[in-house]
Amino acid sequence: MRSARRRTGGRLPAALVLPAVLGLAFLLVPLVGLLARAPWSTLPSRLFSASVGEALRLSLVCASLATVVCLVLGVPLAWLLARGDVPGRGVLRALVTVPLVLPPVVGGVALLFVLGRRGLVGQHLDAWFGVSLPFTTAGVVLAEAFVAMPFLVISVEGALRAADPRYEEAAATLGASRWLAFRRVTLPSILPGVVAGTVLCWARALGEFGATITFAGNFPGETTTMPLAVYLALETDPDAAIVLSVVLLLVSVGVLAALRDRWVSGPS
Amino acid sequence: MRPFALVVLLVLVGCGAPGSAADGRVTVFAAASLTEAFTELAEDFEAAHAGVDVVLNFAGSSALAQQIGQGAPADVFASASPATMDQVVAANATAAGPVTFARNRLEIAVPAGNPAGITGLADFADAEAKIALCAEQVPCGAAAKRAFEAAGVTPRPDTLEQDVKAVLTKVRLGEVDAALVYRTDVRSAGGEVEGIAFPGADDTVTDYPIAPLARARNADGARGFVAHVRSDRGRAVLAAAGFDAP
């Protein structure tokens, strides 16, 4: 970054500096405000209260499981979008990104209509297997995966497009099966993209609120993740909501710090 | 640079516009359970007062009280519980003492046809039944807690929703077998939801207070709207929605 700046002379036009600084303040001041309002003296005791611990544990477990779901389904999907010889690939790629821009509440409603007790698929799950997904931890995982998977797919797809397919071809001419070439050649070459997508996906799943409360509901220990706990705490105990928010903020910053090679150091 | 400046100007003008029309505007913050009744009352009020525009903001009472406490530009506050109104009074945010204008009570709501055969509060303790309740932090949840304590039933809910309309939606979609919502919510759902009265529902009666707010930009409009809600016409609309008179 620094070397790039030296090359362009290091001078931004004055007309860009003011809006840039305002933009920076707009994004950072609310976070500072949150920290300023935090009840630091009682923070440790609140932090280790049973309900916070329960919500945090559930959040971490669900976000991790959702990320596993996204990896298992999303990496092959990204491969299909980047390399697959399917008609209408551009349209497919656009559809995959829909959950990115869809309001999460809408995603939750859509999940209810498909996987709810009376949903297209859900009614059969209920009738044949006695499985009902709403109001369960599995429902939280599904809601989070629905919202977070596009982040992974886009990251991995970008990495696949940037990777040179000639190595795979070389592996194939040396007798490797397609599966072996994917595992031993393609996957290692796009690993940084997969890792970045995974972390981003996990962070998005951790912060998911709208789809979760709509599809999975809210019950302590089963479906009450941190964002839901924040929302309900705000109704009666704003200090508790702030403590929960600070925890989520710290976890999110920690995740981004883990990605520092990718973002904090600028484009490679 | 010029197009950029133009965009900035347009954005600023766009943001400023609502304030410039404040003269004929009455902003009413009302509990979510008042949605249908207040929508009708606002139309009435606008029809009777040319040039007046009633803007309604429906949400959970606690959230609205918080927003008013933080300086949200509201002229009138109608709450689903005296406790949330007390928060606003304590913040010196009311222009006049709150008055109770309606009462509501809880009712058991089941999807049309009552597929799970729910008959009373005791069914809420059944682990097999899917149950939705309001979270205790919001007024309908507090009222539900009183009902179960009075009936000596320990409910086994599957979800604790953030407001009564969210509970109602879960019943409408058939995702739960039973829920406790206000009688007015059952009525607002039409044929999609059936209501079952239960003994002891009198313990769940909640008062709805209304007050004009101290920081109202339209103090006359605020007083006028409160009077309209308390008029004979207002009572009739509220009664039709399922509210009891105070």
Side-chain angles (χ1 to χ4, degrees), chain A residues 2 28 35 66 83 119 129 154 164 177 229 234:
Chain A
R2 222 170 271 151
L28 294 185
L35 293 174
R83 299 277 165 87
F129 309 108
I154 286 177
D164 194 336
S177 69
L234 211 48

Side-chain angles (χ1 to χ4, degrees), chain A residues 99-111 143 146-147 204 208-212 214-215:
Chain A
L100 271 183
V101 288
L102 199 69
V105 176
V106 177
V109 173
L111 284 173
F146 178 80
V147 174
R204 180 66 191 85
E208 215 301 311
F209 172 79
T212 307
T214 311
F215 179 61

Side-chain angles (χ1 to χ4, degrees), chain A residues 61-71 140-146 148 201 205:
Chain A
V61 168
C62 288
S64 302
L65 288 174
T67 306
V68 170
V69 171
C70 291
L71 272 172
V140 177
V141 172
L142 285 181
E144 291 182 351
F146 178 80
C201 175

Side-chain angles (χ1 to χ4, degrees), chain A residues 15 19 112-113 116-119 132 134-135 213-220 223 231-236 238, chain B residues 1 4 60 62-63 66 87 111-112 115 130 135 137-138 157-162 170 172-177:
Chain A
L112 266 183
F113 283 140
R117 268 213 311 193
R118 294 194 183 165
S132 177
F135 316 124
I213 200 163
T214 311
F215 179 61
N218 172 58
F219 193 78
T223 54
Y231 186 84
L232 270 171
L234 211 48
E235 297 277 322
T236 47
Chain B
M1 188 58 207
F4 174 74
S62 322
Q66 290 266 346
Q87 290 175 27
K130 289 267 184 226
Q137 290 94 328
V138 295
D158 294 276
T159 180
L160 301 168
E161 299 285 315
Q162 77 278 23
K170 297 289 197 289
R172 278 188 146 158
L173 295 174
E175 291 301 331
V176 295
D177 299 317

